[in-house]
Amino acid sequence: LVRALSGNRELIRDTEMQRAGLQLIEEERRRVLESPRCVVSPRLIGAGEMFLALGRYAEAESVCRAVTAGAPMMGRAWINLGIAQTEQGKEEALDTLRHACQIAPKEVFAWISLHRAASRAGLEDEARTAIERAKRVNPKTTALFLATQQDTRKNASRPPAQ
């Protein structure tokens, strides 16, 4: 992975470099899945985050699944896996995020992500409980999330700009 700095612009645009980077990630993912007791590299962890940020949820899910296999107590990996599954509309996202909340109960994004998945599934009681837990863990971050969610709903109800 290369930082998006002006000095790296040519590297980032180089399709051969992109292909080589993706191949390294895939090799790392396979290595972890074939030998779950191996150490998960920061490269693989970063790749899961990168695929999430790019909206490439199937790839994020695949990488995050490898990370959780290699590091089953890494809460952030379970959260990212659950987010990727939620964005793909997969029912298993709820169980993944419930597990994330169990192993990382002090991680606000576990609770916020469970809230989002439960809301999408129509499980309002669970969604409400999850957001209340998020408020207890980190009131400021939860307030920002709720404000952003409210702004998104307002913008979604506006007619498109002409």
Side-chain angles (χ1 to χ4, degrees):
L1 300 176
V2 177
R3 291 189 187 276
L5 303 173
S6 59
N8 294 334
R9 195 167 287 138
E10 292 304 313
L11 285 174
I12 292 169
R13 291 184 181 147
D14 183 337
T15 56
E16 208 43 51
M17 180 70 76
Q18 291 174 13
R19 201 171 299 119
L22 289 172
Q23 185 172 346
L24 282 172
I25 291 167
E26 179 56 22
E27 288 169 7
E28 184 76 10
R29 186 188 70 81
R30 273 198 213 115
R31 183 181 67 80
V32 171
L33 288 175
E34 289 168 5
S35 178
R37 291 188 175 179
C38 71
V39 175
V40 176
S41 77
R43 176 187 300 150
L44 197 59
I45 296 165
E49 299 267 347
M50 177 190 69
F51 285 134
L52 277 178
L54 293 172
R56 293 168 62 171
Y57 301 117
E59 290 157 297
E61 180 183 11
S62 177
V63 168
C64 292
R65 194 173 297 286
V67 174
T68 59
M73 294 307 292
M74 184 180 288
R76 188 70 208 180
W78 286 98
I79 295 165
N80 289 344
L81 176 59
I83 291 169
Q85 292 169 335
T86 299
E87 293 302 324
Q88 295 176 87
K90 294 187 172 183
E91 288 181 28
E92 65 196 283
L94 282 165
D95 287 335
T96 299
L97 290 165
R98 288 173 185 137
H99 181 71
C101 290
Q102 284 180 335
I103 65 170
K106 293 182 180 178
E107 174 56 69
V108 68
F109 292 108
W111 296 106
I112 287 173
S113 299
L114 179 57
H115 162 78
R116 288 183 67 238
S119 292
R120 285 186 180 188
L123 301 172
E124 294 307 317
D125 288 342
E126 185 169 6
R128 194 172 18 266
T129 299
I131 206 66
E132 289 305 318
R133 288 292 301 268
K135 287 177 186 176
R136 278 187 263 150
V137 169
N138 188 324
K140 288 182 182 179
T141 298
T142 305
L144 284 171
F145 165 76
L146 292 171
T148 303
Q149 192 177 39
Q150 195 170 25
D151 288 346
T152 302
R153 282 194 200 115
K154 282 182 198 173
N155 291 334
S157 65
R158 290 183 184 158
Q162 305 241 334

